[in-house]
Amino acid sequence: MRLIAVSEGHPSAQQFYEQIKLKFPTMSQATVYKTLALLKELNQVLEIDLREDSHYDGNRPQPHPHLICMKCGKIVDGEESLDQEMLRKLEEASGYTILRPQISLYGLCPDCKSTS
């Protein structure tokens, strides 16, 4: 829990596991995944669901947009919050109940854009 709270960026479960096993070598990878799932359920961590792997944001567990570089994979937080009125209108128009809003915007980060 402490590791998630002080993590910078948006680490994956594998990255958390690699850090945890240095201090707790008997910790299993399954325990890390189960703990992340529980924290997600308790709204203490936000899962950024990517195709190949999930990454986690324990610093801002409320829904917010993420910008993801298609070249280097860097993930940064969007500073704007999600428009609750827009979400309400989407629910109304579609009949869905939105349980986990997530917006991921893909592009090139400033570093990758300058080297292209």
Side-chain angles (χ1 to χ4, degrees), residues 2-91:
R2 275 180 273 171
L3 181 62
I4 293 168
V6 299
S7 66
E8 292 184 19
H10 302 83
S12 68
Q14 182 63 35
Q15 290 168 321
F16 280 127
Y17 174 66
E18 294 297 325
Q19 290 180 349
I20 290 169
K21 78 176 186 178
L22 295 174
K23 193 167 187 172
F24 302 100
T26 59
M27 176 76 65
S28 75
Q29 200 168 12
T31 300
V32 172
Y33 279 95
K34 288 176 187 176
T35 302
L36 287 168
L38 176 63
L39 291 171
K40 180 180 145 188
E41 196 174 299
L42 295 171
N43 295 318
Q44 296 300 307
V45 67
L46 180 71
E47 180 180 19
I48 305 163
D49 191 8
L50 305 175
R51 280 187 213 137
E52 70 281 352
D53 194 10
S54 290
H55 289 251
Y56 297 87
D57 190 340
N59 298 312
R60 286 180 63 189
Q62 69 283 2
H64 59 276
H66 290 93
L67 298 115
I68 303 165
C69 182
M70 295 173 68
K71 190 170 183 180
C72 70
K74 180 179 179 178
I75 303 171
V76 298
D77 292 323
E79 293 306 317
E80 299 295 321
S81 60
L82 296 182
D83 183 344
Q84 296 303 309
E85 180 63 18
M86 179 190 70
L87 293 174
R88 187 192 62 73
K89 286 180 181 178
L90 282 169
E91 284 183 324

